[in-house]
Amino acid sequence: LAPAKGRRLTGGKSEMIPAEEIRQGDILRILPGETVPADGTIISGETSVDQSIMTGESLPVDKGVGEEVFCG
């Protein structure tokens, strides 16, 4: 269920790359409705994340700056 691609930000531009090319330190942009392609920490913005696969919780969980998100 993990996504095959992610949107990496580099020099103010975004590019779609295969998930296996995502490296520690990359900054990714996740648009509404997309699945998180790699574990990480939110550095800007807020969102609601479906964590049901990992936690069994059926409702989306609100996340903000400094909080962790997980792939899948």
Side-chain angles (χ1 to χ4, degrees), residues 1-3 35-39 49-54 69-72:
L1 295 174
T35 305
V36 178
D39 294 352
V49 179
D50 178 1
Q51 297 184 148
S52 60
I53 293 174
M54 298 179 70
V69 292
F70 303 98
C71 179

Side-chain angles (χ1 to χ4, degrees), residues 27-50:
I27 296 176
L28 305 176
R29 174 174 284 158
I30 314 299
L31 298 178
E34 290 184 339
T35 305
V36 178
D39 294 352
T41 304
I42 296 176
I43 61 171
S44 175
E46 297 176 340
T47 191
S48 293
V49 179
D50 178 1

Side-chain angles (χ1 to χ4, degrees), residues 3-71:
K5 294 186 176 192
R7 186 176 289 102
R8 179 173 56 194
L9 297 177
T10 308
K13 296 181 181 180
S14 67
E15 62 176 330
M16 290 298 288
I17 60 169
E20 57 270 5
E21 290 183 19
I22 298 171
R23 301 289 177 249
Q24 185 173 350
D26 284 348
I27 296 176
L28 305 176
R29 174 174 284 158
I30 314 299
L31 298 178
E34 290 184 339
T35 305
V36 178
D39 294 352
T41 304
I42 296 176
I43 61 171
S44 175
E46 297 176 340
T47 191
S48 293
V49 179
D50 178 1
Q51 297 184 148
S52 60
I53 293 174
M54 298 179 70
T55 66
E57 175 62 45
S58 62
L59 298 174
V61 177
D62 293 335
K63 298 283 186 167
V65 175
E67 294 188 273
E68 293 181 334
V69 292
F70 303 98
C71 179

